[in-house]
Amino acid sequence: MYTITLNDGNKIPAVGFGVFTIPNDGPTYDAVLQALKAGYRHIDTAAAYFNESDVGKAVRDSGIPREEIFITSKLWLQDYGYEAAKKGLAASLEKLGMDYIDLYLLHQPYGDVAGAWKALEEAKEDGVLKSIGVSNMTPKIWKEFLPQASTIPAVNQVECNPFFQQKELKALLAEHDVKIEAYQPLGSGNAAMLSHPAVTKIAEKYGKNAGQIVLRFELQEGLIILPRSTNPERIAGNIDLFDFELTEEEMNAIRAMDTGKGKHDPEAPGIAEMLLANYKIHD
C-alpha cells in the first residue's frame, strides 16, 4: 500500500476506506471486512457515523494484526471542550475496542475547538493517539484556529474532488506540511464528474473506469483519499490504482474541471446549530 508521511513522521495509507452513512450492526462490519480483504489498510470512521463498534469488530475478526491497520476516527461537536473531549475520546476507544487510534480528528470547527484540541494534544503525548488533525476547516477557519494550537494538525479532512480542488486551502496547508484528506473524492458519485469528457477519454485510454481515473488524479495531486462503497466490485476497483500513471497533460485536463465550489459550506450561517440539532451521539 502506498503511504504518505505526515508532518509528525507517521505514515498513513494514501487510500482509505470511508464508512460514512453505512449502518452499524452488520453492514459496516461486512463492508470493512470486504475492504480489508481487498487490500485496504486504512479505515475512516467517526463517533457521529455511529459505526465505530462495527469497525473495531471487523478489524479484530479480520485476522490482520492491529498494527498493520490504520484507524481514523473523529470527535463530535457534543464533546468539544477540554474535559468533554477526554470523555469523547474514551468513548471512541471503547466502541472501537482499541487502546490507541492512529489518527483522531476534530470533526467540525465550531464551539470550544481550542479546549478539545488541547485534550487531543495531551492524548497524543500519552500515545493514545498517534496523530491528530482537523476536518472541515476552510482557509478562513484555518487561519483563525492555527494560533490556538501548540501542535500543528497532521491533516485537514475536507470535501475535495475534481469539481472542488481546494487550491487555496492546499497552498495554505502546505506551509506547515499539513495533508488534505479528501472526503467525497468521487463527488458522491457525481454523474457530471464521472461522465466528463476529460475523464472518460482518459478512462478509455487506460482501460479503467471513470472513478479510478478521478481517484488516480487525486493521488497524484498528493491527496489522501477516502472512497466509500458497499459494492464488493467497486470496493476492490477503488484501490486498483497503482498500475498506471496519468501524464501531465491528462492531469492538467482534470485540473481544468475545477469550479472552486463544493456541496458543503462550513462557513454557512447556522451550520453548527444545525449539525448539533441533527446529530446527537449521546444524551
Side-chain angles (χ1 to χ4, degrees):
M1 168 55 67
Y2 174 68
T3 62
I4 289 176
T5 301
L6 300 173
N7 60 13
D8 60 9
N10 292 325
K11 294 182 183 299
I12 183 171
V15 184
F17 182 71
V19 297
F20 177 56
T21 72
I22 305 178
N24 202 47
D25 296 327
T28 293
Y29 174 83
D30 293 339
V32 171
L33 276 182
Q34 186 67 42
L36 293 171
K37 183 179 178 181
Y40 293 81
R41 291 298 180 267
H42 175 188
I43 309 298
D44 180 273
T45 184
Y49 295 176
F50 302 100
N51 54 19
E52 288 173 308
S53 59
D54 259 22
V55 169
K57 186 174 188 298
V59 169
R60 288 190 295 277
D61 290 352
S62 70
I64 300 167
R66 166 68 182 93
E67 61 271 16
E68 294 181 16
I69 301 175
F70 193 102
I71 299 295
T72 297
S73 195
K74 310 175 191 76
L75 184 75
W76 188 238
L77 281 169
Q78 274 184 285
D79 293 323
Y80 278 23
Y82 177 68
E83 292 297 338
K86 291 195 286 187
K87 293 177 182 177
L89 169 57
S92 282
L93 289 164
E94 182 178 359
K95 288 176 181 176
L96 287 163
M98 298 174 181
D99 56 10
Y100 73 93
I101 299 173
D102 298 277
L103 174 63
Y104 203 61
L105 310 180
L106 297 184
H107 201 159
Q108 300 290 344
Y110 316 112
D112 187 0
V113 172
W117 187 247
K118 182 181 178 183
L120 267 57
E121 289 177 321
E122 291 183 2
K124 184 179 189 302
E125 290 175 6
D126 293 340
V128 176
L129 303 177
K130 302 301 183 183
S131 297
I132 55 177
V134 296
S135 185
N136 290 300
M137 286 198 176
T138 63
K140 177 178 182 291
I141 295 171
W142 172 260
K143 290 175 185 177
E144 293 170 350
F145 163 76
L146 200 57
Q148 306 175 61
S150 299
T151 304
I152 301 295
V155 306
N156 184 10
Q157 186 178 124
V158 294
E159 178 186 359
C160 191
N161 54 60
F163 279 176
F164 187 34
Q165 294 178 33
Q166 296 277 15
K167 291 176 181 177
E168 180 188 358
L169 181 65
K170 189 175 183 182
L172 192 62
L173 297 179
E175 296 175 8
H176 298 281
D177 193 25
V178 178
K179 304 303 183 186
I180 285 183
E181 280 194 307
Y183 71 74
Q184 296 187 4
L186 298 172
S188 293
N190 188 308
M193 181 191 303
L194 297 176
S195 64
H196 193 286
V199 173
T200 57
K201 180 181 178 181
I202 301 169
E204 185 175 355
K205 172 186 172 181
Y206 291 103
K208 296 289 184 176
N209 63 46
Q212 290 169 316
I213 298 303
V214 168
L215 295 173
R216 179 68 204 188
F217 164 79
E218 292 163 347
L219 283 179
Q220 289 183 219
E221 288 287 80
L223 303 178
I224 301 158
I225 57 175
L226 303 169
R228 171 188 48 132
S229 180
T230 55
N231 179 297
E233 184 177 344
R234 288 184 180 172
I235 289 172
N238 287 343
I239 203 172
D240 183 19
L241 307 172
F242 299 99
D243 59 350
F244 71 107
E245 185 173 346
L246 304 185
T247 67
E248 189 63 16
E249 182 180 0
E250 291 162 347
M251 293 291 289
N252 285 333
I254 300 178
R255 287 177 184 130
M257 293 168 55
D258 190 23
T259 69
K261 295 181 180 180
K263 294 180 179 178
H264 174 60
D265 180 8
E267 296 178 26
I271 188 71
E273 293 78 8
M274 182 278 290
L275 289 168
L276 269 172
N278 287 279
Y279 293 88
K280 291 189 179 295
I281 64 171
H282 54 71
D283 294 331

mmCIF file of all heavy atoms in Angstrom, residues 235-258:
data_model
loop_
_atom_site.group_PDB
_atom_site.id
_atom_site.type_symbol
_atom_site.label_atom_id
_atom_site.label_comp_id
_atom_site.label_asym_id
_atom_site.label_seq_id
_atom_site.Cartn_x
_atom_site.Cartn_y
_atom_site.Cartn_z
ATOM 1 N N ILE A 235 -15.516 -1.649 -4.278
ATOM 2 C CA ILE A 235 -14.544 -1.577 -3.187
ATOM 3 C C ILE A 235 -13.167 -1.984 -3.712
ATOM 4 O O ILE A 235 -12.171 -1.294 -3.488
ATOM 5 C CB ILE A 235 -14.972 -2.475 -2.008
ATOM 6 C CG1 ILE A 235 -16.183 -1.868 -1.290
ATOM 7 C CG2 ILE A 235 -13.816 -2.667 -1.018
ATOM 8 C CD1 ILE A 235 -16.788 -2.771 -0.232
ATOM 9 N N ALA A 236 -13.122 -3.101 -4.440
ATOM 10 C CA ALA A 236 -11.853 -3.579 -4.999
ATOM 11 C C ALA A 236 -11.331 -2.626 -6.072
ATOM 12 O O ALA A 236 -10.134 -2.324 -6.133
ATOM 13 C CB ALA A 236 -12.031 -4.981 -5.563
ATOM 14 N N GLY A 237 -12.235 -2.122 -6.919
ATOM 15 C CA GLY A 237 -11.814 -1.232 -8.004
ATOM 16 C C GLY A 237 -11.241 0.075 -7.517
ATOM 17 O O GLY A 237 -10.312 0.627 -8.126
ATOM 18 N N ASN A 238 -11.757 0.574 -6.397
ATOM 19 C CA ASN A 238 -11.327 1.875 -5.888
ATOM 20 C C ASN A 238 -9.921 1.868 -5.303
ATOM 21 O O ASN A 238 -9.371 2.936 -4.999
ATOM 22 C CB ASN A 238 -12.321 2.385 -4.839
ATOM 23 C CG ASN A 238 -13.622 2.856 -5.436
ATOM 24 O OD1 ASN A 238 -13.711 3.118 -6.642
ATOM 25 N ND2 ASN A 238 -14.651 2.970 -4.613
ATOM 26 N N ILE A 239 -9.347 0.696 -5.149
ATOM 27 C CA ILE A 239 -7.962 0.629 -4.666
ATOM 28 C C ILE A 239 -7.024 0.084 -5.744
ATOM 29 O O ILE A 239 -5.805 0.018 -5.555
ATOM 30 C CB ILE A 239 -7.886 -0.225 -3.371
ATOM 31 C CG1 ILE A 239 -6.644 0.135 -2.562
ATOM 32 C CG2 ILE A 239 -7.964 -1.714 -3.669
ATOM 33 C CD1 ILE A 239 -6.586 -0.499 -1.196
ATOM 34 N N ASP A 240 -7.591 -0.243 -6.899
ATOM 35 C CA ASP A 240 -6.804 -0.764 -8.023
ATOM 36 C C ASP A 240 -6.319 0.418 -8.863
ATOM 37 O O ASP A 240 -6.772 0.644 -9.991
ATOM 38 C CB ASP A 240 -7.668 -1.719 -8.849
ATOM 39 C CG ASP A 240 -6.905 -2.356 -9.995
ATOM 40 O OD1 ASP A 240 -5.661 -2.362 -9.950
ATOM 41 O OD2 ASP A 240 -7.556 -2.837 -10.949
ATOM 42 N N LEU A 241 -5.376 1.166 -8.307
ATOM 43 C CA LEU A 241 -4.985 2.459 -8.868
ATOM 44 C C LEU A 241 -3.489 2.583 -9.149
ATOM 45 O O LEU A 241 -3.021 3.666 -9.510
ATOM 46 C CB LEU A 241 -5.374 3.570 -7.883
ATOM 47 C CG LEU A 241 -6.821 3.604 -7.387
ATOM 48 C CD1 LEU A 241 -6.977 4.640 -6.273
ATOM 49 C CD2 LEU A 241 -7.784 3.898 -8.535
ATOM 50 N N PHE A 242 -2.751 1.496 -9.015
ATOM 51 C CA PHE A 242 -1.297 1.636 -8.983
ATOM 52 C C PHE A 242 -0.584 0.978 -10.159
ATOM 53 O O PHE A 242 0.634 0.820 -10.135
ATOM 54 C CB PHE A 242 -0.773 1.081 -7.654
ATOM 55 C CG PHE A 242 -1.339 1.823 -6.463
ATOM 56 C CD1 PHE A 242 -2.416 1.307 -5.750
ATOM 57 C CD2 PHE A 242 -0.821 3.050 -6.088
ATOM 58 C CE1 PHE A 242 -2.945 2.005 -4.670
ATOM 59 C CE2 PHE A 242 -1.349 3.751 -5.011
ATOM 60 C CZ PHE A 242 -2.415 3.232 -4.301
ATOM 61 N N ASP A 243 -1.353 0.618 -11.191
ATOM 62 C CA ASP A 243 -0.731 0.011 -12.376
ATOM 63 C C ASP A 243 -0.759 0.952 -13.581
ATOM 64 O O ASP A 243 -0.553 0.529 -14.715
ATOM 65 C CB ASP A 243 -1.400 -1.322 -12.721
ATOM 66 C CG ASP A 243 -2.895 -1.189 -12.990
ATOM 67 O OD1 ASP A 243 -3.448 -0.097 -12.732
ATOM 68 O OD2 ASP A 243 -3.505 -2.180 -13.449
ATOM 69 N N PHE A 244 -1.025 2.225 -13.329
ATOM 70 C CA PHE A 244 -0.994 3.226 -14.391
ATOM 71 C C PHE A 244 -0.704 4.588 -13.774
ATOM 72 O O PHE A 244 -0.824 4.774 -12.565
ATOM 73 C CB PHE A 244 -2.311 3.245 -15.178
ATOM 74 C CG PHE A 244 -3.485 3.816 -14.420
ATOM 75 C CD1 PHE A 244 -3.996 5.074 -14.729
ATOM 76 C CD2 PHE A 244 -4.111 3.089 -13.400
ATOM 77 C CE1 PHE A 244 -5.080 5.596 -14.040
ATOM 78 C CE2 PHE A 244 -5.201 3.614 -12.711
ATOM 79 C CZ PHE A 244 -5.682 4.875 -13.033
ATOM 80 N N GLU A 245 -0.316 5.545 -14.624
ATOM 81 C CA GLU A 245 0.001 6.895 -14.152
ATOM 82 C C GLU A 245 -0.444 7.907 -15.199
ATOM 83 O O GLU A 245 -0.190 7.721 -16.399
ATOM 84 C CB GLU A 245 1.503 7.034 -13.889
ATOM 85 C CG GLU A 245 1.899 8.370 -13.294
ATOM 86 C CD GLU A 245 3.366 8.411 -12.892
ATOM 87 O OE1 GLU A 245 4.007 7.344 -12.832
ATOM 88 O OE2 GLU A 245 3.865 9.521 -12.633
ATOM 89 N N LEU A 246 -1.112 8.949 -14.764
ATOM 90 C CA LEU A 246 -1.580 9.976 -15.674
ATOM 91 C C LEU A 246 -0.431 10.888 -16.097
ATOM 92 O O LEU A 246 0.458 11.197 -15.298
ATOM 93 C CB LEU A 246 -2.678 10.814 -15.013
ATOM 94 C CG LEU A 246 -3.901 10.065 -14.470
ATOM 95 C CD1 LEU A 246 -4.939 11.067 -13.967
ATOM 96 C CD2 LEU A 246 -4.515 9.151 -15.519
ATOM 97 N N THR A 247 -0.456 11.314 -17.342
ATOM 98 C CA THR A 247 0.549 12.245 -17.839
ATOM 99 C C THR A 247 0.235 13.652 -17.327
ATOM 100 O O THR A 247 -0.874 13.928 -16.846
ATOM 101 C CB THR A 247 0.565 12.270 -19.372
ATOM 102 O OG1 THR A 247 -0.677 12.830 -19.832
ATOM 103 C CG2 THR A 247 0.744 10.866 -19.948
ATOM 104 N N GLU A 248 1.182 14.552 -17.454
ATOM 105 C CA GLU A 248 0.955 15.929 -17.024
ATOM 106 C C GLU A 248 -0.157 16.569 -17.849
ATOM 107 O O GLU A 248 -0.963 17.348 -17.315
ATOM 108 C CB GLU A 248 2.242 16.742 -17.143
ATOM 109 C CG GLU A 248 2.160 18.130 -16.518
ATOM 110 C CD GLU A 248 1.926 18.117 -15.006
ATOM 111 O OE1 GLU A 248 2.112 17.054 -14.356
ATOM 112 O OE2 GLU A 248 1.549 19.176 -14.467
ATOM 113 N N GLU A 249 -0.242 16.236 -19.106
ATOM 114 C CA GLU A 249 -1.319 16.757 -19.948
ATOM 115 C C GLU A 249 -2.678 16.281 -19.439
ATOM 116 O O GLU A 249 -3.648 17.058 -19.385
ATOM 117 C CB GLU A 249 -1.118 16.308 -21.399
ATOM 118 C CG GLU A 249 -2.176 16.837 -22.363
ATOM 119 C CD GLU A 249 -1.960 16.367 -23.793
ATOM 120 O OE1 GLU A 249 -0.988 15.627 -24.049
ATOM 121 O OE2 GLU A 249 -2.782 16.728 -24.658
ATOM 122 N N GLU A 250 -2.758 15.015 -19.065
ATOM 123 C CA GLU A 250 -4.008 14.468 -18.536
ATOM 124 C C GLU A 250 -4.348 15.080 -17.174
ATOM 125 O O GLU A 250 -5.511 15.381 -16.891
ATOM 126 C CB GLU A 250 -3.898 12.942 -18.446
ATOM 127 C CG GLU A 250 -3.853 12.275 -19.821
ATOM 128 C CD GLU A 250 -3.322 10.856 -19.804
ATOM 129 O OE1 GLU A 250 -2.736 10.434 -18.774
ATOM 130 O OE2 GLU A 250 -3.483 10.164 -20.826
ATOM 131 N N MET A 251 -3.330 15.280 -16.364
ATOM 132 C CA MET A 251 -3.551 15.936 -15.073
ATOM 133 C C MET A 251 -4.104 17.345 -15.283
ATOM 134 O O MET A 251 -5.047 17.762 -14.607
ATOM 135 C CB MET A 251 -2.246 15.987 -14.283
ATOM 136 C CG MET A 251 -1.722 14.635 -13.820
ATOM 137 S SD MET A 251 -2.750 13.875 -12.524
ATOM 138 C CE MET A 251 -2.384 14.945 -11.135
ATOM 139 N N ASN A 252 -3.538 18.067 -16.224
ATOM 140 C CA ASN A 252 -3.993 19.432 -16.481
ATOM 141 C C ASN A 252 -5.421 19.465 -17.003
ATOM 142 O O ASN A 252 -6.182 20.396 -16.697
ATOM 143 C CB ASN A 252 -3.047 20.119 -17.460
ATOM 144 C CG ASN A 252 -1.737 20.532 -16.811
ATOM 145 O OD1 ASN A 252 -1.687 20.769 -15.603
ATOM 146 N ND2 ASN A 252 -0.682 20.625 -17.600
ATOM 147 N N ALA A 253 -5.792 18.458 -17.785
ATOM 148 C CA ALA A 253 -7.158 18.394 -18.308
ATOM 149 C C ALA A 253 -8.163 18.251 -17.160
ATOM 150 O O ALA A 253 -9.248 18.857 -17.181
ATOM 151 C CB ALA A 253 -7.295 17.240 -19.289
ATOM 152 N N ILE A 254 -7.812 17.471 -16.139
ATOM 153 C CA ILE A 254 -8.706 17.298 -14.991
ATOM 154 C C ILE A 254 -8.627 18.512 -14.068
ATOM 155 O O ILE A 254 -9.636 18.938 -13.500
ATOM 156 C CB ILE A 254 -8.396 15.989 -14.248
ATOM 157 C CG1 ILE A 254 -8.589 14.786 -15.187
ATOM 158 C CG2 ILE A 254 -9.312 15.831 -13.029
ATOM 159 C CD1 ILE A 254 -8.258 13.445 -14.571
ATOM 160 N N ARG A 255 -7.445 19.085 -13.937
ATOM 161 C CA ARG A 255 -7.321 20.313 -13.131
ATOM 162 C C ARG A 255 -8.249 21.403 -13.663
ATOM 163 O O ARG A 255 -8.779 22.212 -12.893
ATOM 164 C CB ARG A 255 -5.880 20.805 -13.139
ATOM 165 C CG ARG A 255 -4.916 19.956 -12.304
ATOM 166 C CD ARG A 255 -3.495 20.451 -12.403
ATOM 167 N NE ARG A 255 -2.575 19.570 -11.667
ATOM 168 C CZ ARG A 255 -1.443 19.078 -12.178
ATOM 169 N NH1 ARG A 255 -1.070 19.395 -13.422
ATOM 170 N NH2 ARG A 255 -0.687 18.286 -11.460
ATOM 171 N N ALA A 256 -8.453 21.419 -14.962
ATOM 172 C CA ALA A 256 -9.295 22.449 -15.584
ATOM 173 C C ALA A 256 -10.779 22.260 -15.272
ATOM 174 O O ALA A 256 -11.591 23.150 -15.568
ATOM 175 C CB ALA A 256 -9.086 22.436 -17.098
ATOM 176 N N MET A 257 -11.153 21.135 -14.659
ATOM 177 C CA MET A 257 -12.546 20.884 -14.293
ATOM 178 C C MET A 257 -12.972 21.622 -13.023
ATOM 179 O O MET A 257 -14.148 21.666 -12.688
ATOM 180 C CB MET A 257 -12.773 19.374 -14.095
ATOM 181 C CG MET A 257 -12.651 18.546 -15.355
ATOM 182 S SD MET A 257 -12.575 16.739 -15.034
ATOM 183 C CE MET A 257 -14.081 16.473 -14.076
ATOM 184 N N ASP A 258 -12.032 22.186 -12.316
ATOM 185 C CA ASP A 258 -12.312 22.803 -11.015
ATOM 186 C C ASP A 258 -13.320 23.950 -11.131
ATOM 187 O O ASP A 258 -13.161 24.829 -11.970
ATOM 188 C CB ASP A 258 -11.008 23.324 -10.413
ATOM 189 C CG ASP A 258 -11.141 23.775 -8.974
ATOM 190 O OD1 ASP A 258 -12.078 23.311 -8.291
ATOM 191 O OD2 ASP A 258 -10.302 24.577 -8.530
#
